[in-house]
Amino acid sequence: MASWFGRRAAPAPQAPAPDTRGAATGVPLELISYDQNTGQFRLGEQAIRALQQTRGPVGVVAVCGRARQGKSFILNQLLGRSGGFVVAPTHRPCTKGLWMWSAPVERRSPDGSKYSLVLLDTEGIDAYDQTGQYSTQIFSLAVLLSSLFVFNQMGGIDEAALDRLSLVTEMTKHVRVRAAGSSGGEEDSAELATFTPAFLWLLRDFYLRLEEEGRQVSPRDYLETALQPLQGTGRAVESKNQIRESIKALFPDRDCFTLVRPVTDEEQLAELDSMPTASMRPEFRDGLQRLTHLIFSKAQPKRLGSQILNGPMLAGLAQAYVDAINNGAVPTIATAWQGVAESESRRAGDAACAAYAAAFSEDVPSEEAALVAEHQHALLAAKQAFDEIAIGDEGVRRANEQRWRDSCESRFQQLQDRKLAQAAAACEKLLNDATMQLAAMARGDGVTVEQLQQAAAAFKAEYAASPAASGPTKWPRFTELFNEAYLGAVRDVTSRQEERRRVEAAAAAQAAEVAALRAQQAEQRMASAEAEGAQLRARLADVEGQLREAQVALERERAAAAAAATRLARLEQQVQHLEQSKEAEGRNLTQQAQAALRAAHATNEAQAAQLRGAQEQSERVAADAQQRLAAAEAEVQSLRQQLAAGGAAAQDWSGRVAALEADQQALQGSVQLLRNEKRELQRSREGLETQLAQLRQQMQVREGDWAAQLRAKEEEARLAAQQAAAAHAATVAYAAAAVAVADGDTGMDDGGDDDDNFEDPENMPDPKKMTMAQIKDWLMEHGHEKAAWDLAQKRSKKAEYEALMRQVLGA
């Protein structure tokens, strides 16, 4: 035993302080108990439920050892509290079976990830009321479930302490890795070691000095030296060495820690769990702090191979191990793990189904693509939930994955069928309602194809945006049902519109006939006006003849007045001569002369009265001419009004035709599929356009002719007015000359020429330099209205008008 004195003691590694806030509120729960009546172990429901609620990785610290040596005190220190697990000063053990703290301690791994640390308190392994098999079973369960196994012992390591760990050797006989493994061989021990926890031998009330030749050595070296095989032969030595080899084989990761006596007073030692920490020895307090840090650093998450266990997995392992022991079988790690894997995979499948149901939103549109996309999204959520829980080999995972996938597919198929059926029913309802509305709208009066188009477009937009109308039948049914109803409504409206157009066309044709008849009547009235104008011109010619006769008579009267004036002058000279010679004779002669003068004056007054009568007659003729001119102007105004009325009727008819054209164009855009009807409507429209063009041309020609006739009538009226004014002026001049006869002023002009009746050949108009309208006006002014009218009716060109004008000029 002297070889361990030459080694130095290494300082214990430091670990971060634990988070014991949640653990402080927990209570101890019985995890595994033993029923004396049935002879079987059972699991505590509350403890199992607490484990199942611990979803993340878990580490497990199990403290084992002899009874009444302070195991529960160490666990309470890990919890950071003075009370928790039961500690009592009596000789009877307080803990039976395995107990756990209900609230795991929250910890962090060196990589920063969180995990939960479960604390297990075990029944003393050498209690007086235990059998050897029971102690082995409790010891085996604590080792198999923990990730750090703490063996608590008073004093140093001696042969008695090593004999108490003979349970390790028994454990290798009662635990198997696989069901087909060999019994107790080195291969089983080595393979079992890959599943065993880290081992910490805690030496309590340790008083020895770990020194060798004045140098301090570590507790680990102390442990390794104690596990060295003994020299010698014999059954006793072989048995002791077998225990040492079993410990080293089963716990390849092992360590040792020593704690001095906490107090020196025996009475205080009995009340250790309730004693304030400040009342304990400083070296014990320092050791206790280093012990907790060492335990927390070594108590990493529990692993089985590469799999990190969580709370439900740990609960499943405990159940599997207890079931194996109760069935009289040897606990097999692989078999237990297989059961846990199958159980967890089943739970993972259930979680996947729940995740699928939670992730699948039934508000998704009832479209196959949207439903499939939502199905895939929910499957991803389900797969993630399954992968977070499922463990075990690929076969177990694949079987349970196929189970939840089949369940999800069945659920999706039912949901898809229901959603698509609801969507199809909603589409049918919307389409039926729209069909009825279109049919009712098409039966209304005054409905146009454009209104049907607007209603159809509005419904299509509403139908497309409707969340209720969805699914694969949405647009096929729309095309099948709504388009058929729409085309039927269009045909009905088109038929009624076509009938209305035929009625309107007939009315327009009748209006055109009425307008033509009115135009013909206007032409007849125009001809009557022209005849009256000719009569007026004839009467004006008579008036002019009478005026000329009056002028001739006036000239004769002027000559007579001049002769009378001459005779009067001679008489006056004779009277003056007689006055000078003979006053008496003069008075007689004067009296005679005065009598002759009075007779001459009477004659002149009679003649003047005759002239005034002629003037009044001329004025009456001029007034009559003015009245006839006013009547002609009124007739012209009436003709203008009739022409305007005819133009308004034609314009109204043109507007109706334009409306028909607009309706026709709208119809062409709406009923493209009705090609036969479209061709018939096209031919009808072309015929109407041809008739309209012809009517427009006829109206233009008639308007031009009426305008020319109006201008001619206005010119004739103007000339008649000028001639009447000239006649009136001549009459006035004649009257003035007659009055002035007494003064000897006749005012006659015998050398004048009549420029109104003759044209200067040098100033003849040139037809080539005149426009067609000017030629028409010239012909109308010179009495060739009929010839000009005939050319206008024939729609002749300018050359024909020029030829007619040259013919007139040549004549």
Side-chain angles (χ1 to χ4, degrees):
M1 299 287 292
S3 60
W4 53 268
F5 287 109
R7 302 180 182 178
R8 292 183 178 273
Q14 298 297 315
D19 184 3
T20 60
R21 289 174 294 179
T25 61
V27 294
L29 299 175
E30 191 175 33
L31 176 62
I32 299 176
S33 61
Y34 184 74
D35 189 345
Q36 295 286 348
N37 297 325
T38 62
Q40 290 190 335
F41 290 94
R42 60 182 178 85
L43 296 176
E45 293 182 0
Q46 292 183 342
I48 292 299
R49 189 159 51 248
L51 286 178
Q52 290 175 344
Q53 293 174 355
T54 307
R55 295 299 182 181
V58 294
V60 183
V61 176
V63 180
C64 188
R66 297 183 63 192
R68 313 304 311 135
Q69 291 193 353
K71 300 186 300 297
S72 299
F73 173 80
I74 295 299
L75 289 170
N76 290 336
Q77 295 305 310
L78 294 177
L79 290 174
R81 55 187 296 166
S82 58
F85 289 99
V86 179
V87 178
T90 63
H91 69 285
R92 297 184 63 85
C94 298
T95 303
K96 302 294 290 182
L98 292 179
W99 288 71
M100 63 168 280
W101 193 250
S102 61
V105 179
E106 296 296 327
R107 295 288 300 154
R108 284 189 181 273
S109 298
D111 60 0
S113 60
K114 290 183 179 181
Y115 69 95
S116 301
L117 188 61
V118 177
L119 302 181
L120 293 182
D121 190 7
T122 65
E123 182 180 352
I125 59 176
D126 59 350
Y128 63 87
D129 58 349
Q130 289 181 355
T131 64
Q133 182 181 4
Y134 176 82
S135 298
T136 301
Q137 290 171 340
I138 290 294
F139 182 87
S140 300
L141 288 172
V143 170
L144 291 175
L145 294 177
S146 63
S147 57
L148 174 63
F149 184 79
V150 180
F151 185 69
N152 184 75
Q153 176 192 317
M154 291 290 185
I157 302 175
D158 54 15
E159 290 300 327
L162 289 173
D163 287 342
R164 281 190 291 273
L165 276 179
S166 63
L167 293 173
V168 175
T169 303
E170 294 298 323
M171 177 183 171
T172 59
K173 298 177 182 178
H174 292 85
V175 176
R176 295 286 183 270
V177 176
R178 293 179 179 82
S182 59
S183 58
E186 293 184 359
E187 290 185 2
D188 281 351
S189 297
E191 189 173 10
L192 184 61
T194 61
F195 296 96
T196 55
F199 178 76
L200 177 62
W201 199 327
L202 176 59
L203 302 177
R204 304 282 297 279
D205 297 350
F206 191 74
Y207 57 88
L208 297 176
R209 298 174 59 186
L210 298 180
E211 293 181 353
E212 181 181 5
E213 297 177 359
R215 293 176 299 179
Q216 188 176 8
V217 296
S218 67
R220 181 193 293 269
D221 294 333
Y222 175 59
L223 172 60
E224 294 299 325
T225 300
L227 294 179
Q228 292 297 322
L230 297 177
Q231 301 296 325
T233 58
R235 178 177 293 180
V237 173
E238 182 180 351
S239 176
K240 294 180 182 297
N241 286 338
Q242 185 178 6
I243 294 173
R244 286 174 169 80
E245 291 300 325
S246 296
I247 293 173
K248 291 191 292 184
L250 194 63
F251 301 115
D253 181 9
R254 52 189 178 270
D255 201 351
C256 181
F257 195 86
T258 62
L259 276 178
V260 299
R261 193 181 183 92
V263 292
T264 57
D265 189 351
E266 294 292 338
E267 293 183 0
Q268 290 181 339
L269 190 62
E271 303 293 334
L272 185 63
D273 191 58
S274 59
M275 181 182 298
T277 306
S279 301
M280 300 178 186
R281 297 171 60 188
E283 52 267 42
F284 178 80
R285 294 199 305 269
D286 178 67
L288 189 62
Q289 183 178 8
R290 288 187 291 108
L291 173 64
T292 55
H293 282 289
L294 177 63
I295 291 175
F296 284 133
S297 65
K298 285 183 170 294
Q300 294 301 312
K302 174 71 173 176
R303 289 178 178 271
L304 278 183
S306 60
Q307 180 67 51
I308 298 177
L309 301 187
N310 55 24
M313 295 179 191
L314 184 65
L317 278 179
Q319 184 69 59
Y321 293 147
V322 168
D323 289 343
I325 294 174
N326 288 337
N327 292 329
V330 176
T332 303
I333 296 176
T335 302
W337 177 244
Q338 183 71 15
V340 171
E342 291 179 356
S343 176
E344 285 298 292
S345 293
R346 285 192 299 272
R347 189 171 69 86
D350 296 337
C353 292
Y356 177 88
F360 196 103
S361 174
E362 294 195 9
D363 294 334
V364 65
S366 300
E367 301 287 349
E368 287 187 347
L371 289 171
V372 171
E374 187 68 16
H375 174 58
Q376 295 300 324
H377 167 71
L379 284 179
L380 289 176
K383 183 67 166 59
Q384 183 178 1
F386 179 79
D387 291 340
E388 289 176 355
I389 299 175
I391 58 175
D393 56 29
E394 188 64 25
V396 174
R397 291 170 59 94
R398 188 183 302 111
N400 285 278
E401 181 174 359
Q402 187 62 42
R403 179 177 63 84
W404 69 259
R405 283 188 179 276
D406 292 342
S407 176
C408 292
E409 289 293 340
S410 176
R411 177 188 178 91
F412 170 70
Q413 191 61 46
Q414 294 176 0
L415 177 64
Q416 183 183 38
D417 293 343
R418 177 170 55 84
K419 293 281 287 184
L420 292 181
Q422 292 175 352
C427 291
E428 289 294 329
K429 184 179 183 304
L430 290 176
L431 289 172
N432 289 332
D433 293 344
T435 300
M436 295 175 64
Q437 292 176 4
L438 274 180
M441 184 177 180
R443 290 191 297 268
D445 294 333
V447 178
T448 62
V449 175
E450 289 79 4
Q451 292 174 339
L452 285 178
Q453 287 178 336
Q454 294 174 359
F459 170 73
K460 186 174 182 181
E462 181 181 355
Y463 185 75
S466 174
S470 57
T473 63
K474 177 176 182 178
W475 293 112
R477 287 296 295 160
F478 178 86
T479 303
E480 177 183 353
L481 183 60
F482 183 78
N483 285 353
E484 181 180 353
Y486 170 68
L487 292 177
V490 169
R491 283 194 294 269
D492 293 342
V493 172
T494 302
S495 176
R496 285 197 298 274
Q497 286 182 344
E498 184 64 23
E499 182 64 27
R500 284 197 299 270
R501 277 194 293 272
R502 284 195 292 268
V503 172
E504 290 175 356
Q510 185 177 1
E513 291 178 359
V514 172
L517 181 59
R518 290 179 179 176
Q520 185 177 2
Q521 293 175 354
E523 291 175 358
Q524 292 175 356
R525 287 193 295 271
M526 182 69 73
S528 300
E530 290 177 354
E532 291 179 359
Q535 294 177 0
L536 181 59
R537 284 193 295 273
R539 292 178 181 178
L540 287 175
D542 294 339
V543 171
E544 291 174 355
Q546 293 175 3
L547 286 174
R548 284 194 295 273
E549 291 176 357
Q551 288 175 355
V552 172
L554 184 58
E555 289 175 359
R556 287 195 300 267
E557 292 297 330
R558 285 177 179 176
T566 302
R567 288 193 302 272
L568 180 61
R570 286 195 300 265
L571 290 172
E572 286 177 352
Q573 289 176 1
Q574 292 175 3
V575 169
Q576 289 176 0
H577 179 69
L578 291 173
E579 284 179 355
Q580 292 175 0
S581 62
K582 294 179 179 178
E583 290 182 358
E585 187 178 1
R587 284 193 298 270
N588 293 329
L589 291 174
T590 299
Q591 292 176 355
Q592 293 177 1
Q594 289 176 350
L597 182 60
R598 283 193 296 271
H601 278 298
T603 303
N604 288 333
E605 287 177 356
Q607 292 176 354
Q610 292 178 357
L611 289 175
R612 283 196 297 272
Q615 182 179 358
E616 290 175 355
Q617 183 178 2
S618 176
E619 287 177 352
R620 286 194 299 272
V621 172
D624 183 69
Q626 289 290 341
Q627 292 177 357
R628 291 182 177 276
L629 178 60
E633 289 177 350
E635 183 68 22
V636 169
Q637 183 66 26
S638 176
L639 290 174
R640 286 179 178 174
Q641 293 177 354
Q642 292 176 5
L643 177 61
Q651 184 176 2
D652 180 66
W653 188 79
S654 299
R656 292 185 179 182
V657 173
L660 290 176
E661 291 177 350
D663 290 341
Q664 185 68 21
Q665 291 176 357
L667 184 59
Q668 288 177 355
S670 304
V671 291
Q672 296 180 357
L673 300 178
L674 306 175
R675 296 180 178 176
N676 294 332
E677 295 182 12
K678 178 180 176 182
R679 286 195 294 269
E680 294 177 1
L681 293 174
Q682 182 67 23
R683 287 195 296 270
S684 175
R685 188 178 70 86
E686 291 175 355
L688 290 174
E689 288 178 349
T690 303
Q691 294 176 8
L692 176 61
Q694 292 175 355
L695 289 174
R696 284 178 175 174
Q697 292 176 356
Q698 293 176 5
M699 291 302 298
Q700 289 175 356
V701 172
R702 291 180 180 178
E703 288 175 357
D705 295 341
W706 290 341
Q709 292 175 11
L710 286 174
R711 286 195 297 272
K713 292 296 183 181
E714 290 174 353
E715 184 64 23
E716 289 178 2
R718 184 180 61 79
L719 293 176
Q722 290 177 354
Q723 292 173 2
H728 178 68
T731 304
V732 172
Y734 177 75
V739 173
V741 169
D743 298 330
D745 183 11
T746 60
M748 299 298 292
D749 186 6
D750 298 332
D753 295 330
D754 188 4
D755 294 335
D756 294 334
N757 296 325
F758 301 97
E759 294 181 352
D760 188 359
E762 294 181 357
N763 296 324
M764 284 293 183
D766 188 0
K768 292 185 178 180
K769 297 181 180 180
M770 298 170 65
T771 64
M772 186 183 295
Q774 291 174 344
I775 295 175
K776 288 181 180 180
D777 293 341
W778 188 88
L779 291 172
M780 298 289 287
E781 291 173 1
H782 289 75
H784 300 282
E785 297 89 346
K786 187 176 185 306
W789 174 258
D790 293 338
L791 290 178
Q793 290 293 327
K794 296 178 181 178
R795 289 179 288 181
S796 301
K797 298 182 178 178
K798 182 182 178 184
E800 297 178 359
Y801 283 94
E802 290 177 359
L804 178 59
M805 184 173 178
R806 290 193 191 93
Q807 181 180 357
V808 172
L809 292 174

